[in-house]
Amino acid sequence: MRLATLSDGTRDGMLVAISRDARRCLPATGIAAHLQQAIEEWPTMERRLRSLSRLLEEGGGEPLDHDRLLAPLPRAWQWLDGSAFPQHGELMQKAFNLPPIETDRPLMYQGLSDHFLPGHADVPLPSEADGIDFEGEYGVIVDAVPMGTPADKALDHVKLILLINDWSLRAIAPVEMKTGFGWVQAKPACSVAPFAVTPDELGDAWQDGRVHLPLEVTLNGQWFGNPHGGEMQFGFHDLIAHAARTRDLVAGTIIGSGTVSNVHYSSVGSCCLSERRAIEMIATGAASTPFLAFGDRVRMDAGDGVFGTIDQHVVANITDR
């Protein structure tokens, strides 16, 4: 089942079911006003939403207006992003001569969640000097997760899977990290591909709490990378259990995998500029790939469009204040 949110003038948009060919939709009128409500009442909502999906596959529904698509959850109670691909961290440590992080726990931070950008919208940012970077990753939306939920029970709480671009400002990040208080300015709003899909929609690509699909990234129309999501050190069940160790997770919490990164980066490329720059630094002593400039276009896709596509331009934030 694929679900999406259409703009209707409200903060949370209108929940719709999406056909597998992404051409038609059916509003969830009388079932759930928006996706947050559906996640909060999932045991009741899922059956009714799957009935909508079946009607779509039988030829029902109305044409899907792709220009109205928002992020599946335009705002969420909580966004927790992991860093579950060890190759990414190892490359960064080697390039910048950083000591390894001595922990056997997943890495995770809490980011901005009060809005997520649609996958087709321009991305306004204040300055090219901030080191604008993209980070392709997978994410999950969970229902209510009780404190202390163990990893072997955690996948029961995964209701939907997402494709995410976690925008980063690399010139700001080191300054904020040195304070010991974490990121604020270095992590603007994420972009999310338009379709949230149930785990069964991925078939065999959903295994061991991991999305076993290559994440295809192009920059200005040129191939940038297609690393595979299966190389996570910690699966989503581990990330959920880690996040819930000392607190309940509210329904609608989004948990990210962190930048998808593979051991064979020389052949599969990367999902972020910073990693490619680190590879260049290791090989030649200096980075040659620049960070993004205004007007640059980033495109992300996975699984033959199962999540829809992230396809955006970075633009200057214009304000009269």
Side-chain angles (χ1 to χ4, degrees):
M1 176 170 61
R2 301 187 195 187
L3 300 175
T5 295
L6 293 181
S7 174
D8 67 351
T10 67
R11 284 290 306 275
D12 297 300
M14 177 177 64
L15 178 63
V16 294
I18 302 294
S19 63
R20 286 197 172 93
D21 63 8
R23 294 181 178 179
R24 289 167 292 112
C25 68
L26 267 174
T29 306
I31 301 175
H34 44 71
L35 184 54
Q36 178 63 39
Q37 180 186 356
I39 291 294
E40 289 175 354
E41 304 173 29
W42 192 255
T44 300
M45 298 294 183
E46 182 183 16
R47 175 180 53 81
R48 301 176 69 186
L49 290 170
R50 287 190 180 275
S51 294
L52 277 187
S53 293
R54 284 193 293 272
L55 288 174
L56 281 168
E57 299 314 313
E58 293 167 0
E62 57 194 54
L64 174 62
D65 184 352
H66 286 256
D67 290 337
R68 291 179 60 197
L69 286 166
L70 302 176
L73 269 180
R75 55 177 176 169
W77 288 109
Q78 189 165 218
W79 156 237
L80 301 171
D81 197 15
S83 182
F85 291 87
Q87 185 60 44
H88 178 71
E90 291 169 12
L91 286 170
M92 303 304 287
Q93 289 163 13
K94 187 173 182 180
F96 293 99
N97 195 29
L98 299 171
I101 299 173
E102 300 292 347
T103 182
D104 57 357
R105 299 180 180 183
L107 302 178
M108 185 174 287
Y109 76 92
Q110 185 162 337
L112 183 157
S113 65
D114 59 14
H115 72 286
F116 291 89
L117 300 173
H120 60 81
D122 287 345
V123 181
L125 293 167
S127 174
E128 293 174 345
D130 291 336
I132 303 169
D133 198 358
F134 52 84
E135 293 192 62
E137 60 183 276
Y138 296 110
V140 298
I141 303 176
V142 299
D143 63 4
V145 182
M147 184 192 307
T149 294
D152 62 357
K153 303 293 185 183
L155 288 185
D156 294 340
H157 295 282
V158 173
K159 302 309 172 188
L160 296 165
I161 304 172
L162 305 169
L163 173 63
I164 300 170
N165 183 356
D166 175 33
W167 294 99
S168 294
L169 303 178
R170 300 298 190 183
I172 299 174
V175 178
E176 292 192 311
M177 289 173 70
K178 287 178 181 177
T179 68
F181 277 78
W183 290 308
V184 176
Q185 294 180 350
K187 288 292 186 179
C190 298
S191 300
V192 187
F195 308 144
V197 306
T198 49
D200 61 285
E201 194 75 14
L202 298 185
D204 291 341
W206 177 247
Q207 297 180 41
D208 305 319
R210 294 162 173 83
V211 179
H212 288 260
L213 291 171
L215 201 165
E216 306 273 352
V217 181
T218 62
L219 174 57
N220 295 324
Q222 300 297 312
W223 177 86
F224 192 87
N226 61 338
H228 197 274
E231 285 193 24
M232 288 174 74
Q233 178 183 12
F234 298 101
F236 278 107
H237 51 300
D238 299 308
L239 298 180
I240 294 166
H242 174 75
R245 181 178 178 272
T246 61
R247 56 172 145 172
D248 298 330
L249 302 182
V250 68
T253 294
I254 303 175
I255 296 180
S257 67
T259 307
V260 178
S261 179
N262 289 177
V263 171
H264 299 294
Y265 54 81
S266 59
S267 59
V268 301
S270 300
C271 278
C272 73
L273 289 165
S274 188
E275 181 171 300
R276 177 177 283 189
R277 286 167 59 87
I279 293 166
E280 293 166 347
M281 291 171 66
I282 294 167
T284 68
S288 56
T289 299
F291 288 116
L292 297 179
F294 294 143
D296 282 344
R297 178 184 178 187
V298 179
R299 189 179 189 279
M300 297 182 182
D301 194 2
D304 295 324
V306 66
F307 301 102
T309 302
I310 296 173
D311 192 353
Q312 299 178 291
H313 289 87
V314 178
V315 299
N317 184 49
I318 305 300
T319 177
D320 55 6
R321 288 178 289 180

